Amino acid sequence: MIYFKNVSKIYPPDVVAVKDVHLKIEPGEMVSIVGQSGAGKTTLVKLLIAEERPSKGRIQIGDWDITNIKVSEIPILRRQIGVIFQDFKLLPKKTIFENVAFALEVCGAPDSRIKKIVPQILEIVGLEKKMHRYPDEISGGEQQRVVIARSLVHAPKIVIADEPSGNLDAINTDEIVSIFKKINELGTTVLLVTHNREMVNALRRRVVTIDRGSVSNDQAEGNFIRQ
Amino acid sequence: MTRPKVISFANKSFWRNLGLSLTTILILVLTLISFNVVLSVNAMTKAALQLVEGRIDISLLFKVDAPIAKIDELRAALGKIPKVTSLIFKSRDDVLTDFKTKHAKDQEILSALSELPENPLGAILIVRAASSQDYEVILSAIDIPEYNSLIEQKTFEDHATIIKKIGAMTNRMQKGAVAISVLLLIIAFLIIFNVIKVAIYTHREEISVMRLVGASNWFIRAPFLIEVILFNFLAVILSAILLYGFLQFGDNYVKSFFVGSGFSLMGYFNGNFVRIFVGEFLALSVLGVMSGSLAMRKYLKV
Ligand SMILES: Nc1ncnc2c1ncn2[C@@H]1O[C@H](COP(=O)(O)OP(=O)(O)OP(=O)(O)O)[C@@H](O)[C@H]1O
Ligand SMILES: [Mg+2]
């Protein structure tokens, strides 16, 4: 369960990015988070992975109160949350396989486990045949899928995608959406932050609308709401 | 945590910024060379002082007419000073015998001597102490008019000036070398700081991915520190190779200067090998880890 309890975030000196957000997301849910540019969506994501600290309120993941999480505990948190940001951050000098393996390597996984897990995960996103290519040798949509694969290596309980369909065309968007559906069907909580109305409407799942830092609408089976 | 992997990351970073890596090692090597000069000067000073001190004594040359009773009094007084380790007394006759044996082959001197109505040589008292500093105490203890009137000459001043000269010369050399070492240490500190800064910059994408996927802080930091320690290790080895290369021929000069005492720089460095080189490595590593941590605190945000 993800629980924002009256959370506010003020960037110094006085930018109110998130204001009194009260939000509960149950395990296994798939939620779209929508809202205008600058509404505070990315800030919510950063609060969840402890890249930013809330100025007010509490944040809880399961029984774990991460409001004042210790620096040394942040890595443990991040291994339980797979994050996909719009700027992919694939390492250009590593192959697809190596990019995904990197996430395991730097967390100290043994080679034998890396060799076993990485191809399995690349299969979920349909890239097992291209795993020896470099990022600039595959399409934008494929790159996006590599980033999704990388976010899955620790078998996270929660996957958060911030604008995963950024500048992809409709066909690629469908592919990405079906991958997230697949991930969600495996029991993972999925949070999709997006501007893409087709994507939201096609999902027919819960939609949370953020307006100027606050939750303005929360529909169980919603549509993208025009601001 | 898999250690080999952390090391391989550090290793890659080393090669990626090869130019900067080499400059860093060069500065570290120069620092170590100048530090080894300090050590050498130190060791040579000690050896030189020991050499001189071993030969030091005070000779009190008594006047020909100094009364024996008074001389005995002075000997007794000196014998009570705890710093005096030995007293050798040569009576006027002893001194004359010594003189004659010394010049046994010089007939002219011997005949000139025999023409004199009486023994022209005064008695001698040779005073020895454990260390050169003690002589000042001893000399001042007997520096009273009653005794001074007996004594023709005290032969200590010469030795004292030699010791002072050695001390002053080595002091100057040492101060210079220490100043250069400190300067180089500061440069080394700054350069390591910079190396880590550049390494963080070149690795910024890897680092941001590492963070995102939950790599531990240790795993993110360790490669940089290992890189620093790798630099130090190479620098110590290189400086040691250069030092021994220099000693191959330079040490002969030192040996010939200390002939008789058996001192050699090679012997000094061999005898203290572990202490010196492991010590230098540890000292540099402390410096490097401090400098590197500072750079990381500044440029590596969690
Ligand atoms: N590090 C920061 N320092 C100061 N202000 C910030 C910072 N990050 C974001 N903001 C501000 O906080 C507000 C919310 O930003 P946020 O990135 O959360 O919006 P968003 O909903 O993700 O927008 P978009 O849809 O364009 O990605 C904006 O006004 C933004 O300018
Ligand atoms: Mg955003």
Side-chain angles (χ1 to χ4, degrees):
Chain A
M1 182 190 64
I2 301 169
Y3 186 20
F4 285 90
K5 197 174 172 188
N6 298 319
V7 172
S8 296
K9 172 68 191 178
I10 300 165
Y11 287 110
D14 56 0
V15 181
V16 183
V18 169
K19 206 172 121 195
D20 282 329
V21 165
H22 202 80
L23 186 64
K24 246 186 200 175
I25 293 164
E26 298 297 333
E29 266 197 280
M30 183 163 188
V31 181
S32 302
I33 296 176
V34 299
Q36 278 185 336
S37 182
K41 306 179 297 292
T42 300
T43 304
L44 280 179
V45 174
K46 286 182 174 169
L47 288 169
L48 259 186
I49 60 169
E51 201 175 310
E52 296 289 351
R53 303 283 171 126
S55 314
K56 236 181 65 194
R58 306 209 74 82
I59 302 172
Q60 227 172 297
I61 291 179
D63 299 331
W64 192 6
D65 189 331
I66 61 159
T67 315
N68 297 311
I69 188 171
K70 280 193 238 147
V71 170
S72 59
E73 286 177 333
I74 291 177
I76 302 167
L77 172 69
R78 293 195 185 156
R79 284 177 210 184
Q80 295 178 28
I81 303 178
V83 199
I84 299 139
F85 279 114
Q86 182 175 6
D87 47 344
F88 306 128
K89 286 176 179 164
L90 282 179
L91 304 171
K93 283 184 187 147
K94 288 186 190 291
T95 64
I96 303 314
F97 178 93
E98 288 163 349
N99 261 286
V100 177
F102 185 72
L104 284 164
E105 257 171 40
V106 299
C107 294
D111 277 347
S112 56
R113 220 183 115 217
I114 293 173
K115 284 208 186 86
K116 201 178 132 215
I117 289 181
V118 175
Q120 284 175 3
I121 288 173
L122 284 171
E123 209 177 317
I124 296 180
V125 298
L127 281 174
E128 71 277 13
K129 295 215 175 71
K130 296 183 176 173
M131 65 182 181
H132 296 302
R133 296 211 195 163
Y134 287 88
D136 61 0
E137 296 169 347
I138 57 175
S139 73
E142 286 167 338
Q143 286 175 19
Q144 183 83 71
R145 277 144 61 191
V146 177
V147 180
I148 295 172
R150 189 179 61 192
S151 76
L152 297 176
V153 287
H154 298 307
K157 294 194 198 84
I158 301 165
V159 169
I160 307 173
D162 192 355
E163 315 241 14
S165 58
N167 34 27
L168 306 175
D169 57 36
I171 301 166
N172 281 322
T173 306
D174 287 348
E175 266 175 27
I176 304 265
V177 166
S178 72
I179 288 170
F180 282 123
K181 273 187 169 159
K182 212 191 299 181
I183 294 167
N184 180 239
E185 275 156 22
L186 295 171
T188 312
T189 310
V190 177
L191 259 61
L192 283 176
V193 177
T194 180
H195 276 141
N196 189 317
R197 89 183 276 154
E198 283 77 37
M199 192 157 149
V200 176
N201 292 344
L203 274 173
R204 310 241 115 247
R205 298 288 179 95
R206 182 175 170 194
V207 178
V208 174
T209 309
I210 308 287
D211 184 21
R212 275 162 287 170
S214 305
V215 178
S216 66
N217 204 305
D218 190 344
Q219 290 178 287
E221 196 178 301
N223 280 313
F224 190 93
I225 294 168
R226 196 79 235 156
Q227 301 293 313
Chain B
M1 202 59 58
T2 48
R3 215 137 291 173
K5 220 155 259 164
V6 173
I7 290 170
S8 109
F9 285 156
N11 192 20
K12 270 183 207 149
S13 160
F14 178 91
W15 292 107
R16 198 177 294 185
N17 301 307
L18 190 62
L20 193 57
S21 302
L22 292 180
T23 316
T24 311
I25 291 175
L26 180 73
I27 296 285
L28 290 173
V29 167
L30 287 178
T31 310
L32 289 173
I33 287 176
S34 89
F35 186 69
N36 285 337
V37 168
V38 174
L39 287 180
S40 303
V41 170
N42 237 341
M44 287 194 294
T45 310
K46 250 192 206 154
L49 287 178
Q50 258 169 19
L51 206 62
V52 175
E53 276 178 8
R55 289 175 193 167
I56 280 182
D57 51 40
I58 313 175
S59 294
L60 303 176
L61 307 183
F62 293 103
K63 288 180 179 160
V64 180
D65 57 0
I68 290 291
K70 280 282 169 197
I71 291 177
D72 285 342
E73 207 178 290
L74 175 57
R75 278 173 69 186
L78 279 169
K80 279 185 200 133
I81 299 176
K83 295 215 156 111
V84 174
T85 52
S86 88
L87 280 174
I88 300 164
F89 180 69
K90 291 183 174 164
S91 67
R92 295 183 59 199
D93 293 339
D94 294 340
V95 176
L96 185 65
T97 323
D98 282 356
F99 186 85
K100 278 182 178 157
T101 25
K102 197 173 170 191
H103 298 278
K105 284 179 188 144
D106 200 334
Q107 279 308 317
E108 247 172 80
I109 289 183
L110 289 181
S111 60
L113 196 62
S114 62
E115 268 163 39
L116 291 173
E118 99 177 275
N119 179 0
L121 301 168
I124 296 177
L125 184 60
I126 299 166
V127 187
R128 284 223 162 98
S131 109
S132 63
Q133 279 106 12
D134 297 341
Y135 290 106
E136 308 245 358
V137 182
I138 295 166
L139 281 174
S140 66
I142 57 167
D143 189 15
I144 51 175
E146 189 190 352
Y147 295 144
N148 284 338
S149 65
L150 305 173
I151 295 166
E152 180 89 52
Q153 205 190 348
K154 296 173 190 167
T155 60
F156 175 67
E157 281 79 356
D158 293 352
H159 292 307
T161 41
I162 290 175
I163 291 175
K164 272 198 192 118
K165 266 189 195 156
I166 293 177
M169 191 183 72
T170 52
N171 231 345
R172 236 176 297 132
M173 279 175 74
Q174 229 166 13
K175 269 187 193 146
V178 166
I180 292 170
S181 300
V182 168
L183 190 74
L184 286 166
L185 272 183
I186 293 171
I187 295 175
F189 188 90
L190 294 177
I191 231 177
I192 289 174
F193 185 88
N194 237 28
V195 162
I196 298 300
K197 184 177 153 186
V198 169
I200 289 170
Y201 183 77
T202 34
H203 289 84
R204 63 197 180 284
E205 292 193 319
E206 268 120 313
I207 292 169
S208 70
V209 172
M210 280 185 179
R211 288 244 172 69
L212 204 61
V213 299
S216 69
N217 290 326
W218 185 85
F219 205 101
I220 296 174
R221 275 154 194 263
F224 298 111
L225 296 180
I226 288 172
E227 193 180 345
V228 168
I229 287 169
L230 183 73
F231 285 146
N232 294 341
F233 186 69
L234 290 176
V236 169
I237 288 192
L238 270 175
S239 72
I241 289 172
L242 287 175
L243 175 75
Y244 276 92
F246 167 77
L247 289 180
Q248 281 310 319
F249 56 93
D251 204 24
N252 285 333
Y253 179 76
V254 176
K255 266 193 229 155
S256 69
F257 184 80
F258 287 102
V259 72
S261 86
F263 175 83
S264 80
L265 277 179
M266 185 81 92
Y268 169 72
F269 280 104
N270 281 342
N272 298 286
F273 192 89
V274 173
R275 223 171 57 187
I276 291 173
F277 295 107
V278 172
E280 287 178 347
F281 174 67
L282 290 180
L284 275 193
S285 297
V286 168
L287 177 97
V289 167
M290 266 165 40
S291 163
S293 302
L294 209 67
M296 285 193 279
R297 186 185 292 182
K298 194 152 178 222
Y299 299 105
L300 201 67
K301 304 219 162 53
V302 186

